[in-house]
């Protein structure tokens, strides 16, 4: 049987090393495989690699590859392919999205066809988590040499891409050679239905078996239908109000804290997302997350906020502009409006400026805003997730505009530490500091939604939003 | 013998019940078999409404027959009351038993259907002919109205034929099924005199041939005289008088009939020209306007790069002079270049060649601001509907760079009074005036700046006869008072006779004859002038047989660089010369 | 013939104008293909990486050079390569065009089939209740935004009747006509609604004008039955404004009906261009807009030719 | 005055005029804050309330009063429609007039330029303008204005060409009236009729376009309301809160209906060709 699937946003390209859009990853992870992957509990499990181990000094990481792993062109996956793939990622010319995570790699060795050794300049615990990313997928060395990555999709995953009409449909067929065993369906046909209410309509009439939903307003309607089932998974991505500490008056700690105290995070969640989600601190992965209530000002306290404002000399408030992207996420405009109304209570007058996504990204990357409503992607590892913003030489320093010695130190410590328990302590401190210094106001994490007909069996929702388990899904007649 | 049509106490009204407005108030008449009844009367007197009631076409114009009866003697001898006939019955009667010809041949034919299709339709509907037969019948019908090359014309669309031709097509169509009654509603009003004569000739000939009856509507008594057996005079929706043609013309009983007969300028072949000729005797004054060798050509272009391949010689070597206080009339048929001459004099088209002098001030071609003013043909089109009278009269003053002050206002009032408009006119808008009043306004406007020459292009053609007479009087009075020189363009010979001192006859862009009005009108020399004058209908020419002449006006399109041979003028009197035929 | 040549000769000028406008406009928009692909992750690129991506997307040269390259490519029929689709722009456009064309044709058909008879009927019932009824319905149709019609249609069908034509995967007409029509009928109807309303209003008023013309009176005087008077004599004369309107609307529809395509998930030109803009697929935007403009002009030309066929008085000179 | 009277006498003019008038009043109330509630006030406990005595048209996702927002939205939508049509009218009229008057090369150049704009798909044109400048009220005004300018240019040029050949213009030329005088008094003044009609129709279309732009997220910016934005915000709530879609949709339809009716009436009144007994 073929699984009929629908989503609102289509992939934007096929190069697994370059494409970072959520919509692209959902497609590519069905075709390509990384060395290791994450399971539903965010634990690292085998991918192409059967096993792995760090050397005692933490400067060598060795993988043993699965001998059954085969590319869709029939070739076996060898250490040469792994080496070539990582060299491609590391090559500046490629423009690979994940390159920054691998800067500690000094050399890659392939002692035999089934073994790969990464030599590191320094101990790097998060590197293993980074390798679970679809952006670190292994591609055939032959395709790299031919320069066809991005035009032809040849991976080792459960499905082969047979046909792609961008913004219209994809046809995937089962990969008979898949090392993970036979797939539950013969193929997947994905339709792009840009309007989510149309997706719901199509599911109601039984045209679609499985769909990816973005908009909580639509998702909450699914449980009303007898034949349909809604899958929810908390995700790592977080909704946040980014302040720009380089701009007056957000350069004042008191002002930032006042804003943090004036925000009723639960209300934002309730209104913008119909309560679909959880209030969160900076760390969204369950292993590291602390109880939000223990964080600075997570209980709304308008009086305190007003006092802080007064202390900073802004008793009368001030005016600032907040930017948000149109439709990305769908709740952005709503969040901005709730925040606007909440901050008005302490005299902070927000002007909302909605922007087309690319314009927004451009502005955001330049750090050219007073405040920004954002949905930032999360990573399973705190260091990978935040080093870009809060280390002094983080790549997105110009976005966060906030360099802080304590935060920097904590992150460096966490990176080098390989003992999980010690890491937890370090990052708990990091989270507390971050919430208190309030460069940003973290709001909530939402759910990743998928909707399915009840006869679809075996789908496991993932916090990363991954649809990888579609490989094992079956259709009951 | 029973009359073919018997109308009793016909009342027709427009509009819905409460606001219904009756426009025909109880008209009765009988029409004998083979008889021609003329209905005359001024515009709006109800002529058309009466006629269109006889086949109930009036229903479609929003009218309703309120009461009365219309009895039609049908071909099978039965009598049908049109007022109560069913829609089905009416479609059988229309076209088959009652044919109609309308005033505007240009708009009365369907522009998107070929002539052939439109004529064939009548045969299909009433004779059941189809295919080849219908086509052959249509061709025959066209031949019957003397259309040359009928076969080819069948596939032409109306825009490809001239007005005269189209009216013939209309007649062919109306007569296709040999109706026993033909209604001709002002069938020649839109046509040139010469063409009018041809159509009239055709109608009388066909009538003799077929013996049909006819209702002939016209406001031109002269025209009626040529064809009618009986006349009915209408005024304000009533038939004020009816009787035999002779009786009405020679012994009118009703005052309105007398007024109508009196007001209409009758052409009398130069007998009625003005007596105050300027050129008689003493040394002529300096001309107010002198035109010498005026040439206007409109280039014709074609092809990729719009290369000119020829030109319309609209005006070719026209020259004349005009003394103060004198009227020169330019006559000629449509397209002969009359208006173009006037427009060139006014600087509205730039002449290809030629010189003007106004009050001896020469002007280069294309330059306006000479003391020449113009009165246009259509009083409705020549006044900006959005300006009030004060603004309209002020325009020439503003254009001349003067202030609109108290003295200007005084002059406005004076002129308004002189042209016979009420005191309070200044604040009114053009739509609040009748056609005649508007033309007076135009005249007043033309006089605002004390011009020495006034060009009047068909200035009275659009007006009702009695209004026409009054405007002509006004023009003469003003001419006397201000010593104005008039360049008077018209195709109506009777009007020309009344106002012109001199007459110039234009044919195909050239003046073919020019001279003293009396001399030209009474003793025309050029063949074209002769034809023109013989075509003018008058009440003297009763039941006259018009000559049929189907020649076409020559084309004015000439190849590039073509120059006509120099004119040779033959003197035919003191002030009367004629162009020698090449 | 001449006229055709002259009109066609003006095409390149207008197209160059269009191409310059779109070329400049799309580049004035902040963001580029790189941010469109990587989103916020684009910030992680080193300058060197960025440079090589710029080369990959062909946006590393000054505008003038880019334009010239693109412009000279036009002459060999090369509109560039779409970075989203990884295919030549022309191929992408031509894949989308049949749907757009079909949708436009269908909605025009629906509009004319409803609008013209309704307009004619209303005109013959001038100012009577039937006329007012038709006019009010037409005005309501004209004043309802198409997305409202579309959303409500989908909702009613899916919830009320539990049926819905297949959405997303589009079946071309030549593959499965029935399936294709079932997919197209709703969007065509949605678009056709407002279109039909305009046609109704225009044909009504044109018909009213024509019915008071002299030649209609002539036809009646000939004894032509009323039905024939209306359909054979009056209607052809009333068609010019209807053709004008249909031409304009059709021309716009050929540019794609963004919103309706979005709601009904049709892979048409409109959505393609919208997405190309959002994804900063410069070559595709340029090519598509040029293509749409070209179609628009062809339609205009056809409309002018149609005038000449409909009405022999209209000469194909100037405009 | 005369016009107002005739509008009142015309059946569809009466209805259309009344509707437009009511909307103007609503728009003014909305603009001056004369609304039952503060349109921005978020009554959190009353989120997504159906129509009731205190909220006649219910509340939205944020607990804001829909009626108040609708009133403000009407003002906003009308502002966009009014200014965009006004600018298109002014620019289009000037261009159309000069094209008709000077003719020749100027006409050719101008009309080809208008062709370029016309050939550009309208929604794309608006889209590009909006993405370049960033969305907002005045951007919408500019975008819609640019889209309508070529239409007005054509609407003016056609009749201006024929007016140019009318007798009263010829008469003016024989007096030697200045170009500006002729252009303003004789041409422009007589174009008022077709322009008025076109303006009312364009207003209706501008309302629709504004709605379309807002639907794509390119129009009015939150938290301000416009009819189109309210529609687009509510479409995914169509099932939970149908009133959120119904009222703005009705409001849009009714306003466009009003403008169309008024436009029809004005055409009947001002255009002598369609003036019938
Ligand atoms: N469709 C109509 N609706 C209302 N009134 C009309 C209509 N047609 C004619 N009338 C009125 O009926 C009266 C008679 O009109 P009719 O056309 O019969 O005049 P006429 O004698 O033929 O004039 P003309 O010489 O101008 O043709 C006029 O007062 C006119 O205003
Ligand atoms: N602008 C123009 N371009 C080309 N040909 C023209 C133009 N104006 C006039 N003509 C032609 O010049 C000739 C003379 O026209 P004109 O208007 O002077 O005739 P007219 O004697 O005034 O006719 P009417 O009695 O119908 O008014 C006609 O054949 C006409 O078609
Ligand atoms: Mg009459
Ligand atoms: Mg003339």
């Amino acid at each position: 049987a073929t699984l009929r699937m629908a989503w609102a946003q289509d992939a934007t390209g096929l190069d697994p090393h370059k494409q970072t859009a959520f919509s692209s990853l959902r497609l590519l992870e069905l075709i390509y495989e990384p060395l290791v992957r994450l399971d539903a509990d965010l634990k690292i499990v085998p991918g192409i690699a059967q096993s792995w181990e760090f050397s005692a000094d933490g400067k060598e990481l060795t993988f043993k590859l699965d001998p059954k792993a085969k590319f869709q062109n029939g070739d076996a996956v060898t250490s040469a392919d792994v080496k070539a793939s990582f060299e491609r990622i590391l090559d500046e010319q490629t423009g690979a999205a994940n390159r920054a995570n691998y800067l500690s790699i000094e050399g890659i060795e392939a002692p035999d066809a089934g073994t790969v050794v990464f030599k590191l300049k320094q101990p790097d615990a998060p590197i293993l988590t980074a390798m679970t990313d679809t952006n670190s997928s292994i591609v055939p060395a032959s395709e790299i040499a031919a320069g066809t990555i991005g035009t032809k999709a040849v991976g080792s995953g459960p499905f082969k891409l047979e046909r792609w009409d961008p913004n219209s449909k994809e046809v995937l067929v089962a990969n008979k050679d898949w090392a993970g065993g036979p797939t539950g369906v013969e193929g997947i046909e994905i339709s792009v239905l840009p309007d989510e209410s149309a997706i719901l309509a199509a599911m109601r009439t039984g045209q679609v078996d499985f769909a990816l939903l973005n908009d909580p307003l639509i998702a909450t309607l699914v449980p009303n239908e007898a034949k349909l089932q809604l899958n929810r998974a908390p995700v790592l991505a977080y909704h946040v109000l980014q302040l720009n500490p380089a701009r007056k008056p957000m350069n004042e700690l008191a002002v930032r804290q006042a804003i943090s105290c004036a925000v009723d995070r639960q209300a934002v969640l309730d209104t913008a997302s119909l309560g679909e989600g959880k209030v969160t601190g900076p760390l969204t992965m369950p292993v590291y997350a602390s109880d939000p209530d223990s964080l600075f000002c997570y209980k709304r306290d308008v009086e305190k906020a007003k006092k802080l404002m007064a202390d900073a000399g802004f008793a009368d408030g001030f005016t600032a502009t907040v930017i948000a992207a149109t439709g990305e996420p769908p709740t952005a405009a709503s969040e901005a409006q709730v925040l606007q109304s909440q901050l008005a209570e302490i005299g902070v007058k927000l002007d909302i400026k909605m922007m087309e996504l690319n314009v927004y990204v451009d502005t955001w990357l330049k750090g050219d805003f007073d405040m920004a409503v954002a949905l930032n992607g999360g990573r399973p590892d705190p260091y990978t997730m935040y080093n870009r913003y809060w280390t002094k030489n983080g790549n997105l320093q110009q976005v966060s505009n906030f360099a802080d010695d304590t935060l920097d130190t904590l992150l460096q410590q966490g990176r080098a530490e390989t003992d999980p328990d010690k890491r937890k302590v370090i990052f708990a401190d990091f989270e507390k500091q971050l919430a208190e210094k309030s460069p940003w106001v973290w709001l909530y994490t939402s759910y990743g939604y998928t909707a399915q007909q009840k006869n679809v069996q075996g789908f496991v929702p993932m916090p990363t939003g991954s649809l990888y388990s579609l490989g094992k899904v079956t259709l009951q007649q | 013998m029973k009359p073919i049509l018997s109308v009793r106490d016909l009342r027709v009204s427009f509009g819905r019940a409460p606001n219904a407005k009756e426009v025909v108030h109880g008209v009765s008449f009988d029409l004998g078999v083979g008889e021609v009844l003329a209905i005359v009367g001024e515009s709006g007197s109800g002529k058309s409404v009466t006629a269109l009631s006889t086949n109930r076409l009036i229903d479609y114009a929003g009218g309703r027959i309120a009461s009365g009866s219309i009895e039609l003697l049908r071909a099978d001898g039965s009598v049908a009351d049109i007022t109560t006939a069913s829609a089905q019955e009416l479609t059988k009667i229309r076209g088959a038993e009652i044919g109609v010809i309308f005033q505007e041949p240009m708009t009365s034919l369907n522009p998107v259907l070929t002539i052939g299709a439109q004529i064939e339709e009548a045969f299909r509907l009433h004779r059941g002919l189809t295919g080849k037969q219908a086509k052959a019948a249509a061709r025959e019908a066209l031949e019957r109205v003397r259309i040359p090359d009928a076969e080819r014309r069948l596939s032409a669309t109306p825009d490809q034929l001239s007005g005269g031709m189209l009216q013939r097509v209309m007649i062919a169509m109306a007569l296709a099924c040999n109706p026993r009654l033909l209604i001709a509603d002002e069938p020649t009003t839109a046509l040139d005199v010469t063409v009018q004569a041809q159509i009239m000739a055709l109608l009388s000939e066909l009538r003799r041939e077929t013996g049909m009856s006819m209702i002939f509507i016209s406001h031109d008594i002269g025209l009626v005289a040529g064809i009618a057996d009986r006349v009915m005079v209408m005024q304000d929706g009533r038939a004020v008088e009816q009787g035999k043609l002779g009786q009405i013309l020679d012994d009118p009983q009703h005052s309105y009939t007398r007024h109508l007969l009196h007001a209409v300028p009758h052409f009398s072949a130069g007998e009625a020209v003005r007596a105050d000729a300027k050129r008689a005797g003493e040394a002529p004054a300096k001309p107010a306007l002198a035109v010498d060798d005026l040439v206007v050509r409109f280039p014709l272009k074609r092809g990729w790069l719009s290369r000119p391949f020829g030109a319309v010689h609209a005006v070719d070597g026209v020259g004349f002079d005009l003394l103060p206080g004198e009227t020169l009339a330019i006559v000629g048929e449509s397209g002969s270049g009359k208006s173009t001459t006037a427009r060139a004099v006014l600087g509205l088209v730039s002449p290809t060649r030629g010189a003007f002098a106004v009050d001896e001030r020469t002007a280069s071609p294309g330059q306006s601001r000479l003391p020449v003013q113009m009165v246009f043909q259509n009083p409705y089109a020549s006044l900006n509907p959005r300006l009030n009278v004060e603004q309209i009269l002020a325009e020439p003053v503003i254009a001349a760079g003067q202030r609109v002050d108290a003295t200007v206002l005084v002059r406005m009032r004076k002129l308004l009074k002189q042209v016979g408009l009420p005191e309070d006119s200044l604040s009114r808008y053009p739509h609040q005036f009748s056609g005649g009043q508007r033309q007076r306004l135009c005249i007043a406007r033309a006089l605002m700046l004390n011009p020495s020459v006034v060009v009047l292009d068909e200035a009275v053609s659009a007006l009702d006869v009695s209004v026409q007479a009054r405007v002509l009087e006004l023009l003469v009075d003003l001419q006397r008072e201000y010593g104005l020189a008039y360049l008077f363009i018209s195709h109506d010979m009777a009007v020309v006779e009344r106002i012109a001192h001199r007459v110039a006859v234009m044919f195909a862009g050239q003046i073919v004859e020019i001279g003293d009005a009396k001399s030209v009108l009474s003793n025309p020399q050029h063949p074209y002038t002769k034809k023109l004058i013989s075509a003018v209908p008058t009440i003297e020419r009763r039941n006259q047989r018009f000559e049929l002449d189907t020649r076409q006006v020559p084309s004015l399109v000439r190849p590039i660089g073509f120059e006509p041979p120099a004119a040779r003028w033959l003197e035919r009197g003191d002030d009367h010369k004629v162009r020698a035929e090449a | 013939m001449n006229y055709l040549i002259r009109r066609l000769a003006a095409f390149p000028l207008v197209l160059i104008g269009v191409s310059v406008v779109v070329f400049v406009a799309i580049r004035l928009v902040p963001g580029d293909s790189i941010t469109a692909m990587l989103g916020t992750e684009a910030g992680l690129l080193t300058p060197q990486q960025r440079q090589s991506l710029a080369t990959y997307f062909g946006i590393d040269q000054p505008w003038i050079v880019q334009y010239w390259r693109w412009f000279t490519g036009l002459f060999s029929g090369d509109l560039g390569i779409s970075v989203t689709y990884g295919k030549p722009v022309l191929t992408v456009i031509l894949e989308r065009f049949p749907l757009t064309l079909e949708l436009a044709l269908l909605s025009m058909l629906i509009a004319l089939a409803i609008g013209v008879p309704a307009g004619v009927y209303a005109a013959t019932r001038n100012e009577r209740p039937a006329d007012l009824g038709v006019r009010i319905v037409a005005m309501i149709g004209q004043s309802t935004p198409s997305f409202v019609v579309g959303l409500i249609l989908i909702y009613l069908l899916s919830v009320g009747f539990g049926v819905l034509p297949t959405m997303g995967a589009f079946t071309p007409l030549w593959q499965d006509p029935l399936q294709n029509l079932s997919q197209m009928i709703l969007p065509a109807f949605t678009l056709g609604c407002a279109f039909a309303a305009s046609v109704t209003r225009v044909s009504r008023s044109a018909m009213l004008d024509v019915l008071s013309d002299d030649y209609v009176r002539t036809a009646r005087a000939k004894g032509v039955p009323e039905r024939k008077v209306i359909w054979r004599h009056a209607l052809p004369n009333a068609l010019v404004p209807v053709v004008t309107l249909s031409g304009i609307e059709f021309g716009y529809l050929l540019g794609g009906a963004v919103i309706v395509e979005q709601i009904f998930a049709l892979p048409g030109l409109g959505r393609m261009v919208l997405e190309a803009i959002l994804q900063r697929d410069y070559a595709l935007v340029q090519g598509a807009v040029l293509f749409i403009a070209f179609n628009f002009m062809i339609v205009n030309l056809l409309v002018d030719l149609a005038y000449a066929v409909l009405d022999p008085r209209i000469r194909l000179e100037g405009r | 005055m005369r016009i107002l009277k005739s509008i009142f006498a015309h059946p569809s003019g009466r209805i259309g005029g009344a509707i437009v008038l009511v909307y103007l009043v609503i728009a003014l109330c909305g603009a001056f804050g004369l609304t039952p509630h503060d349109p921005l006030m978020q009554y959190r406990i009353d989120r997504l309330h159906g129509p009731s005595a205190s909220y006649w048209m219910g509340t939205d996702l944020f607990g804001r009063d829909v009626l108040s927002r609708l009133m403000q939205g009407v003002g906003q939508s009308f502002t966009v429609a009014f200014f965009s049509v006004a600018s298109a009218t002014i620019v289009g009229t000037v261009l159309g007039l000069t094209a008709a008057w000077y003719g020749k090369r100027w006409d050719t150049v101008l009309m080809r330029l208008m062709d370029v704009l016309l050939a550009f798909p309208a929604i794309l044109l608006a889209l590009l303008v909006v993405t370049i400048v960033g969305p907002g009220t005045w951007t919408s005004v500019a975008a819609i204005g640019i889209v309508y300018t070529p239409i007005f240019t054509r609407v003016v040029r056609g009749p201006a060409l024929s007016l140019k050949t009318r007798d009263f213009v010829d008469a003016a030329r024989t007096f030697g009236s200045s170009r500006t005088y002729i252009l303003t008094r004789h041409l422009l003044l007589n174009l008022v009729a077709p322009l008025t009609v076109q303006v009312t129709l364009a207003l209706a279309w501008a309302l629709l376009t504004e709605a379309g732009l807002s639907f794509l997220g390119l129009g009015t910016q939150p938290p301000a309301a416009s009819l189109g934005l309210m529609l687009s915000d509510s479409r995914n709530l169509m099932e939970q809160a149908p009133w959120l879609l119904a009222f703005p949709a009705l409001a849009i339809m009714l306003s466009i209906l009003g403008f169309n009716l008024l436009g029809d009436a004005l055409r009947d009144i001002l255009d002598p060709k369609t003036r019938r007994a």
Side-chain angles (χ1 to χ4, degrees), chain A residues 29-47:
Chain A
E29 68 200 4
L30 295 175
I31 303 168
Y32 292 99
E33 286 182 313
L35 281 172
V36 283
R37 16 175 106 258
L38 294 170
D39 67 3
D41 302 323
L42 295 179
K43 283 213 301 285
I44 294 170
V45 296

Side-chain angles (χ1 to χ4, degrees), chain B residues 7 138 198 320 355 393 464:
Chain B
V7 175
Q198 292 164 24
F320 57 83
L393 292 184
D464 248 344

Side-chain angles (χ1 to χ4, degrees), chain B residues 338-360:
Chain B
K338 308 183 294 288
S339 297
T340 308
T341 306
R343 294 170 67 82
V345 168
L346 287 158
L348 292 175
V349 294
S350 25
T352 314
R353 201 166 69 208
F356 311 100
V358 179
D359 290 345
E360 303 206 301

Side-chain angles (χ1 to χ4, degrees), chain A residues 161-234:
Chain A
L161 182 63
E162 186 168 272
R163 180 149 167 234
W164 182 37
D165 295 340
N167 296 320
S168 169
K169 71 167 178 188
E170 280 95 7
V171 180
L172 294 166
V173 294
N175 175 15
K176 297 274 177 307
D177 297 335
W178 184 39
T183 53
V185 290
E186 287 154 21
I188 304 181
E189 246 183 66
I190 309 175
S191 304
V192 184
L193 307 185
D195 200 74
E196 294 205 351
S197 55
I199 296 186
L200 179 60
M203 291 205 74
R204 277 178 173 148
T205 57
Q207 266 181 39
V208 168
D209 301 317
F210 188 88
L212 203 60
L213 295 176
N214 254 327
D215 192 335
L217 299 186
I218 295 291
T220 46
L221 291 173
V222 174
N224 300 343
E225 303 292 320
K227 284 181 304 181
L228 302 183
Q229 175 187 326
L230 181 71
N231 307 311
R232 298 196 305 194

Side-chain angles (χ1 to χ4, degrees), chain B residues 242-262:
Chain B
Q242 42 181 310
K244 289 234 167 348
L245 176 74
Q247 187 189 330
I248 298 283
L249 291 186
D250 301 330
D251 186 18
Q253 296 301 309
H254 196 273
S255 62
Y256 178 70
T257 315
R258 283 200 292 271
H259 166 75
L260 207 59
L261 281 168
H262 178 74

Side-chain angles (χ1 to χ4, degrees), chain B residues 42-49 52 103 185-186 217 219, chain C residues 217:
Chain B
E42 274 178 45
S43 185
S45 56
K47 307 183 293 289
S48 302
V49 171
L52 291 184
Q103 174 169 353
D185 187 353
E186 316 213 21
I217 299 176
H219 59 257
Chain C
R217 188 177 57 176

Side-chain angles (χ1 to χ4, degrees), chain D residues 250-268:
Chain D
L250 279 180
I252 276 204
M253 278 166 61
L254 209 62
S255 65
I256 293 174
L257 192 68
F259 278 120
N260 277 337
L261 283 171
L262 190 63
D264 271 14
L266 282 173
R267 179 168 45 209
D268 285 355

